[in-house]
Amino acid sequence: MCVCVSMPSFTAPANAQIVHSGAACNVKDDNMSERIYTIKEGDTLVLQCIVKGHPRPQVRWTKTAGSASDKFQETSIYNETLRIEGIQRVQGGRYYCKADNGVGVAAIKSIRVDVQYLDIPVLTVHQTISDVRGSYYQEKTVFLRCTVNSNPPARFIWKRGDMLIEQSKDNGVDIYEPLYTQGETKVLKLKNLRPKDFADYTCQVSVRNVCNIKDKSVTFRLTNATSPPMIRLSVNDTVVVDPGQDVRITCEVTAGFPPPTVTWSRYPGPLPLSAQVRGETLILRAVTPADAGFYNCTAVNNVGNPARKNVNLIVRTMSNLTFQITPDSNKDSETIQMGRDLKLSCHVDATPQDKVNYTWYKNGAPVFNSDSLILLRSDPDMAPGTSSLEIVDMKFRDLATYSCMASFSGSTVRELRVDVNISQNSVSPPVLSVPPGGQVVSVREGGNAELVCLVVDGKPRPPILWSRTEKDLLMPSGKPTVETPDGRLRLKNVSRDMMGAYRCQTAPYNGLNIKRREAQVQLNVQYPPILDPVFQDVRSRNYQMVTLRCTVLRSNPPRLTDIRWFRNGDFIRMPMPDLKETPELKFKLEPTNNGSYECRVSNTVGTSACTFNVSAQPYNAEFYFDTPNPVRILKGNNYSYNLQWTQKDPDATDRIIGYWINVRKNKQNLLSKQIDLKGKAPEKGVLMSYTVSDLKIPLSYEVRLAPITTYSTGDYVSRIIQYSEHHVCGFEDERICGFSQDRSDIFDWTRQNHLTQNPKRSANTGPDTDRSGTKEGYYMYIEASRPRTQGDKALLLSPLFNITSSKGPKGRVPYCVSFYYHMKGKHIGNIASVDRAMWTKSGHQGPDWKKAFFDVTPSGPFQIVFEGIRGSGFEGDIAIDDVSITRGECKQQNTVANAGKTDKRSKTQCSKLFIYVFVHLHVYVSVNVRNSKTKTNGK
């Protein structure tokens, strides 16, 4: 049997709720909109975002607040379940679940994760000796400082031996918490040390067994020999070595009791992989320049401050020897001229730079200072570490070959040498030129390019430096400049972002140190047209005009050479389109010309395409996942499922006349039939229903659904339907999940949310939002204001809950009934126990939603009844939300206390909330709840 029902227009914005299923120590409500999830460090965090809304919302998890969390803040998790194995303390903070389906505002819920931990405490000892009353005697005081990192804050206990130390019972001790310390710290002060103070001291820390975290402790033995560590190194503070040498550094402990522990570290970075630590000695085998850095020796015995010594290890290196020829700068000269000064400079990149020795030679003979030749060990006018030879008032005798040699004294590092020939014909200014046709280089995207800038004249010829003309742009290599010895810049796999002007300049070294010559080369990257849209799904009714447009966003070269339209791969013959206009195709859609349309747009580089899938095929159906209690129990261990959906854009195509529905199990069709809409076409946002019957308990099934028009069938969409005895109602649906108003009462419960509240409602009573804290969320509510009078009753009846089996292996099967209630107002008072009521509550319960639950073991189908009674005043509004019926006993939670607690105010001043359970043995016969065993709890 099929039933197709149209309902009021239904699209629902996303709604979200966060629940947990991991190893939580405790979950409590912090306020109306957020919960606190407490978990032990190292356990598994599992958070689930339960979403509602139509169409089905997409879920995204993010995290903020707290510390960084393994880059989780930088990413998003697109899954309804968030799982973190072995959670760490830095992963605590506020987690957000965002659900969005494009309808209204996205729903965002948060939960604060509080990671609990307790480290092993650290105990350090500090001593002071001070003169008292001049120099009559000295007072020796010892401070035992115990520090620990924990969450929640730890409690400290001090012991001397096995005896607890109590400040009130020992005048020789003080126990206090110092200011400005990292972590939690307690100090035990031993004043004017006594013989009995030489003993074993234990600092015990505790977080009171939260999350089953056990206490931890540390013990220190105080003796008259206790002293802080002292060390000395076997080498100087700075050690300079050649590559390949072995380095041995010993950190000798000269004092300290208990015996200190020595450790080695390095900055920056860790110790090299080849490093060996043998007791107090650090050994580095065959060092390389990468092993250079500061090596730190630290000795610790928890007495006083750690002793530290540093060694700066420098590994000699030398590379890239360059020279410069500087004509007489005072004469603004660019050539060598007799009778004028000339400077030759030499620079090498070395470590340590200040230990480089430069030696100058003239025609192979060493150069010494004279009136005409002046040696500068470090030229102040040049880069640091540059040596210069100045030739004063140049004569013909000064024309020669000059050599500069750089070396380290007593080192095995190879010396470097450069020769410079100074003659009238060997030195001339460079001339920079771009070859003809090379000012603009055009290349297709993805190809290789060569930019050329040559020194066509001049001696010696310097290298060429390339850079981008735009100030903030880097070269493709990621560097600001690139050196080329021959002036040829080679670029591979060119992309359009590399397009632009490139500057080439003569380098100021390995040639004349004069005004730099420069030129420019333009790189032109060509690419096919960039089109919009790349793909578009076009739906239309048959025999309607369809217009397809393919917009050219960019193209290089911009001139188009061809535009062609294709249908299903076949060329469409039509007049040649105007290449300067936006490509456009108009036609009447018919059953014979549905298909894939392609617009191919070309320039001299290549061709791009816009693709359009044009059809009169209807859009997919969109399943509704928030159907209240869709499962109904049938005879013979069968059940039915109320399947609901809406149709996406039903007016976009031809009239939808029905739906194909398939029900499958293990990919085998169990049902395949057509749902006839009987002439009533779907409307946008209208919810439709179909009851799938004869399903076997407790199996799950795949359901596939496709819309049908006169000319075509849409694509199938599928979902899994599952048998469930878990019923939850948040009253978001206008049908309130099958709940109904009792006709025998005085007034009714009202469905409302923040947006539908009466602005003139009574102040200081009733909730502001639903239990989730959202303004859009609904709840059920009774108003105590006029015309209500004392004693008026409102009864809300749940649907009949069928059960599959009244007995299990241990007797009747229990069910958990839970819900949230809100009772704020001074006219909500006390009520004594009432016969037949499974749960009662009265009196002002504060401004927050609170949870209650109780167990019921029915002998047959049962029903829940919520009864609210108006008290003596108008400030006695009551609300309920998120009613849940679940198979199995209720799980005891820290958020719930025992029922039956009442205050002592008068019975006559209260609004009251009762809950009854009726067990139905047959469909038409009901038996009082006394036929079932119940266990109640509430808060």
Side-chain angles (χ1 to χ4, degrees), residues 45 62 299 345 416 425 498 549 604 661 755 858-859 875 894 926:
L45 171 73
T62 56
S345 301
L416 299 180
N425 298 325
M498 297 163 62
R549 291 186 179 88
T604 56
I661 183 170
L755 304 177
S859 59
E875 293 184 6
N894 293 338
S926 65

Side-chain angles (χ1 to χ4, degrees), residues 842-866:
S842 58
H844 173 67
Q845 302 298 319
D848 300 332
W849 287 93
K850 297 185 179 181
K851 187 176 184 179
F853 58 86
F854 58 86
D855 291 329
V856 59
T857 52
S859 59
F862 64 97
Q863 189 175 33
I864 309 298
V865 179
F866 290 87

